[in-house]
Amino acid sequence: MNELRDKNGLTEEEFLAAYRPGDYVKPSVAVDMVIFSAIERKEKNYRKLPEKELRVLLIRRGGHPCLGCWALPGGFVEPDETTEQAAVRELKEETNVENIYLEQLYTFSDPKRDPRTWVMSCSYLALIDSEKVNVAAGDDASNAAWFTVNLETVSQNLTKQQDGFCKTTEYMLTLSYDNIKLTAKIRHELIRSDKGAVNNYDIIENNGIAFDHARIISYAVERLRGKVQYTDIALNLVPEYFTLTELQQVYEIILGKKLIKAPFRRKYGILAEPTDKQTSYAGHRPSQLFRKKWLTE
Amino acid sequence: MNELRDKNGLTEEEFLAAYRPGDYVKPSVAVDMVIFSAIERKEKNYRKLPEKELRVLLIRRGGHPCLGCWALPGGFVEPDETTEQAAVRELKEETNVENIYLEQLYTFSDPKRDPRTWVMSCSYLALIDSEKVNVAAGDDASNAAWFTVNLETVSQNLTKQQDGFCKTTEYMLTLSYDNIKLTAKIRHELIRSDKGAVNNYDIIENNGIAFDHARIISYAVERLRGKVQYTDIALNLVPEYFTLTELQQVYEIILGKKLIKAPFRRKYGILAEPTDKQTSYAGHRPSQLFRKKWLTE
DNA sequence: CAAATAGTGTCTTTGAGACATTATGCG
DNA sequence: CGCATAATGTCTCAAAGACACTATTTG
């Protein structure tokens, strides 16, 4: 607190005591959580290992707008909390989950993104391991579901311009659960030149995904794809004891491609600490179980 | 727009027509811009190359709160614009700069970060090349200045815990301009375990930097340090024609360390397209001039 | 010619990619 | 015994780090 006086002769203390907020229009600020998990699909052949899938938790909207559509869990930020605290609180209230990995993703602020009124969304990326998944959304299970996530590039166009370029990429996001299939096509236009960088994202098709949540989910997948390669973030998707093959599967479903075993283990084996436990009765050679070894730098 | 009716029998159209925003307390949302540039220090020895410094544009506050302190340029978001559009508008209004690189940084939302009222800050990282710097803040030059940025780790403490660790790092941020020296010490506590990841940032000392802007600037430096290594973002800090040594200097001041010439050119030479121009009368062998070659992927 | 930087060559080390080989519990 | 996966060895290739050497303009 400083003692300087402003042009009205007030100290900071006096100024604050006299301060009345102006009558400006303010936005509502919500948090939306993209909660991912790596869940095993049931395998018919008893000898084969189950395959994992990347899933996201969605909640079916029971009221307008976007009635019947599927939306990310979320809620409004309250005046005595940070957006992160709001995310933690909503996570607990809405999905009954605590103590999971959470990081701020991006703040979406298109004034038309909510048809009701001006609502910004500060989005969070959350990761939860497959053992905690069953707990999630226990209360309201009929309106919550773990959708399998698929994000694919469907077309790309590159145009060179003077001093830069323009690249247009179209992504198809597919979310499936039982016989429900939600899709969205997103167009990303990137213009790069001496005059700055412009990123335009547009949802150009949307089937059943509420608000701009298709865009938020796509953004989250991209963030996850990037960070998984140079951080230990993937450990949050794996249970307390895990095999290296399991960890590799997590990488494969995030990156959307098969990886080769030996180099994978060389690179990401540092994330795992061997234990004396093993898997058993798997119909083939047992596998050593590991524990998480978080990177400290 | 869907035709489903909600529990009150309304279609979405009817619902929206009847919609009245609730009377909840809402935050103000501001944008704050961390505008960096790489500016050459005057060199006394005519033969020596000038050295670059990483600088950030700050504006001296003329009113409470934080009267007399130096703050990031910024302003409030208006109801018909995105935060990005607000950043572009404020940049033009407040510093008279257009067409520069801009990317969203982070949304800071501590409800106490502004002593007046509840104000969130959606911060942006902006980069401007040294040739455009003179224009910046032309109107209000006496209250705007390019401060030299220094961010150093002053201590680090690592404690292993069950299933994870806790790391505490203290950073010293020093901003200097003429004989003005602003400093802040920031403590970052990172707790990582099966129960999630917690990041606590606290400003534990602050001399002359407004609000939580010391934290925002530190965050921006870290983002820049990270991104410079795997993107072409550094090109935004270099003029239309530049030498590879100049580009290397930009990397060096961002990363805070000397780099070796040959490997630097192998790695980042792809960002530069040779021209037939050269520097001249530099007191030593002239250097080839390059133009920016933006990465298209 | 000397100062100072420009620009290149190359050795070493590291690590990723690709593939092959050996090992082993289970039914 | 054979299925399916576990675990490791090794060759190749690409890139980073480190250092040395040559080239060139200017005062």
Side-chain angles (χ1 to χ4, degrees):
Chain A
M1 190 68 62
N2 71 49
E3 296 302 320
L4 297 177
R5 289 175 183 277
D6 67 9
K7 54 184 188 295
N8 302 318
L10 298 178
T11 65
E12 181 158 342
E13 200 168 353
E14 290 161 355
F15 167 85
L16 290 173
Y19 181 79
R20 292 295 171 269
D23 201 17
Y24 303 107
V25 181
K26 297 172 182 175
S28 299
V29 177
V31 289
D32 285 308
M33 280 86 70
V34 185
I35 314 172
F36 286 125
S37 192
I39 300 181
E40 297 190 344
R41 192 160 39 182
K42 296 280 166 285
E43 185 57 56
K44 38 257 143 239
N45 181 333
Y46 76 97
R47 302 196 110 155
K48 288 216 166 177
L49 276 181
E51 277 173 36
K52 286 184 190 282
E53 292 176 327
L54 183 67
R55 304 248 197 144
V56 66
L57 184 63
L58 297 181
I59 293 177
R60 193 190 171 92
R61 286 190 55 81
H64 288 308
C66 304
L67 174 65
C69 287
W70 292 83
L72 294 169
F76 290 97
V77 181
E78 293 176 3
D80 58 346
E81 61 185 8
T82 63
T83 50
E84 169 136 6
Q85 286 162 348
V88 169
R89 177 179 52 73
E90 290 285 346
L91 218 40
K92 173 70 179 150
E93 286 175 18
E94 209 166 348
T95 68
N96 200 31
V97 170
E98 279 179 289
N99 295 326
I100 63 168
Y101 179 84
L102 204 60
E103 86 173 46
Q104 194 184 106
L105 198 56
Y106 197 83
T107 298
F108 296 90
S109 61
D110 181 346
K112 300 256 183 310
R113 58 177 293 284
D114 188 311
R116 287 168 294 190
T117 177
W118 187 19
V119 184
M120 291 187 190
S121 166
C122 184
S123 58
Y124 278 79
L125 168 64
L127 303 177
I128 180 171
D129 82 64
S130 48
E131 284 183 355
K132 289 200 195 117
V133 156
N134 302 321
V135 185
D139 296 355
D140 196 12
S142 63
N143 287 318
W146 287 98
F147 281 76
T148 303
V149 179
N150 260 288
L151 180 67
E152 274 173 33
T153 300
V154 291
S155 77
Q156 192 160 73
N157 181 280
L158 178 68
T159 322
K160 301 243 176 194
Q161 296 177 335
Q162 80 292 358
D163 303 338
F165 67 91
C166 172
K167 190 170 70 170
T168 306
T169 314
E170 288 183 359
Y171 298 95
M172 183 62 80
L173 176 70
T174 313
L175 305 172
S176 24
Y177 173 74
D178 270 7
N179 48 5
I180 306 171
K181 194 163 181 175
L182 315 174
T183 59
K185 195 189 260 187
I186 292 157
R187 179 185 293 139
H188 175 205
E189 200 178 38
L190 169 63
I191 305 164
R192 204 91 170 70
S193 78
D194 266 350
K195 296 192 166 57
V198 179
N199 281 282
N200 293 318
Y201 284 92
D202 293 296
I203 301 176
I204 56 177
E205 262 180 54
N206 186 9
N207 293 296
I209 306 172
F211 305 105
D212 57 353
H213 291 187
R215 158 108 177 73
I216 301 180
I217 295 168
S218 304
Y219 191 85
V221 173
E222 289 185 3
R223 171 79 64 95
L224 187 58
R225 279 189 186 162
K227 279 199 116 172
V228 94
Q229 310 201 47
Y230 64 96
T231 70
D232 58 6
I233 199 177
L235 290 179
N236 294 292
L237 290 169
V238 126
E240 187 178 358
Y241 292 93
F242 59 95
T243 67
L244 290 179
T245 302
E246 233 178 311
L247 186 63
Q248 183 171 343
Q249 280 191 8
V250 167
Y251 277 80
E252 288 175 344
I253 59 177
I254 292 171
L255 298 174
K257 65 178 180 190
K258 283 278 164 201
L259 301 174
I260 299 164
K261 183 153 50 169
F264 174 82
R265 289 174 180 224
R266 274 199 303 266
K267 184 167 184 191
Y268 298 109
I270 55 163
L271 300 179
E273 191 159 54
T275 68
D276 52 9
K277 290 188 172 47
Q278 288 196 336
T279 58
S280 51
Y281 305 106
H284 49 77
R285 174 172 171 179
S287 171
Q288 193 174 10
L289 284 167
F290 292 80
R291 305 192 65 186
K292 303 175 189 186
K293 203 163 104 195
W294 302 101
L295 294 180
T296 59
E297 49 159 351
Chain B
M1 190 68 62
N2 70 49
E3 296 302 321
L4 296 177
R5 289 175 183 275
D6 68 7
K7 55 185 186 293
N8 302 318
L10 298 177
T11 65
E12 181 158 340
E13 200 167 353
E14 291 161 356
F15 167 85
L16 289 173
Y19 181 79
R20 292 294 171 270
D23 200 17
Y24 302 106
V25 182
K26 296 172 183 177
S28 299
V29 177
V31 289
D32 285 307
M33 280 86 69
V34 185
I35 314 172
F36 286 124
S37 192
I39 300 181
E40 295 189 346
R41 194 163 33 187
K42 299 278 167 285
E43 186 56 56
K44 39 257 139 240
N45 181 334
Y46 74 97
R47 301 196 112 155
K48 287 217 164 175
L49 277 181
E51 277 173 36
K52 285 185 190 282
E53 291 176 327
L54 183 66
R55 305 245 198 148
V56 66
L57 183 64
L58 297 181
I59 292 177
R60 194 189 169 91
R61 285 189 56 81
H64 287 307
C66 303
L67 175 65
C69 287
W70 292 83
L72 294 169
F76 290 96
V77 181
E78 294 177 3
D80 58 345
E81 62 186 6
T82 63
T83 51
E84 169 138 7
Q85 287 162 349
V88 170
R89 176 179 53 73
E90 290 286 345
L91 220 39
K92 173 69 179 150
E93 286 174 19
E94 208 165 346
T95 68
N96 200 31
V97 170
E98 278 180 291
N99 296 328
I100 63 169
Y101 180 84
L102 202 61
E103 88 174 44
Q104 195 185 106
L105 198 56
Y106 197 84
T107 298
F108 296 90
S109 61
D110 181 346
K112 300 258 183 310
R113 58 176 293 285
D114 188 311
R116 287 168 293 190
T117 178
W118 186 20
V119 184
M120 290 187 192
S121 165
C122 185
S123 57
Y124 278 79
L125 168 64
L127 303 178
I128 181 172
D129 82 65
S130 48
E131 284 183 355
K132 288 198 196 120
V133 155
N134 302 321
V135 186
D139 296 354
D140 196 10
S142 62
N143 287 319
W146 287 98
F147 281 77
T148 302
V149 179
N150 260 290
L151 180 67
E152 274 173 32
T153 300
V154 291
S155 77
Q156 193 161 71
N157 181 279
L158 178 68
T159 321
K160 301 242 177 193
Q161 295 177 335
Q162 81 293 356
D163 302 338
F165 68 91
C166 171
K167 190 170 70 171
T168 307
T169 314
E170 288 183 359
Y171 298 95
M172 182 63 80
L173 175 70
T174 311
L175 304 173
S176 23
Y177 173 74
D178 271 3
N179 49 3
I180 306 171
K181 192 163 182 174
L182 315 174
T183 58
K185 195 189 259 187
I186 292 157
R187 179 185 293 138
H188 175 204
E189 199 178 38
L190 169 63
I191 305 166
R192 206 93 169 67
S193 77
D194 266 350
K195 296 193 166 54
V198 180
N199 280 282
N200 293 318
Y201 284 90
D202 293 296
I203 300 176
I204 57 178
E205 262 181 55
N206 186 8
N207 294 296
I209 306 172
F211 305 105
D212 57 352
H213 291 186
R215 159 110 180 72
I216 301 179
I217 295 168
S218 305
Y219 192 85
V221 174
E222 289 185 3
R223 170 80 63 96
L224 187 57
R225 280 189 185 162
K227 278 199 117 172
V228 95
Q229 310 201 47
Y230 63 95
T231 70
D232 57 7
I233 198 175
L235 290 180
N236 294 292
L237 291 169
V238 126
E240 187 179 358
Y241 292 93
F242 58 95
T243 67
L244 290 180
T245 302
E246 231 178 314
L247 187 63
Q248 183 170 343
Q249 280 191 9
V250 167
Y251 277 80
E252 288 175 343
I253 60 176
I254 291 171
L255 298 174
K257 64 178 179 191
K258 284 277 164 202
L259 300 175
I260 299 164
K261 183 155 48 171
F264 174 82
R265 287 173 180 227
R266 274 200 304 265
K267 183 166 183 189
Y268 299 109
I270 54 164
L271 300 180
E273 191 158 53
T275 69
D276 51 10
K277 291 187 170 48
Q278 287 196 337
T279 59
S280 52
Y281 306 106
H284 49 76
R285 174 173 172 180
S287 171
Q288 193 174 11
L289 285 166
F290 293 79
R291 305 193 64 187
K292 304 177 190 186
K293 202 163 107 196
W294 302 101
L295 295 180
T296 59
E297 49 159 349

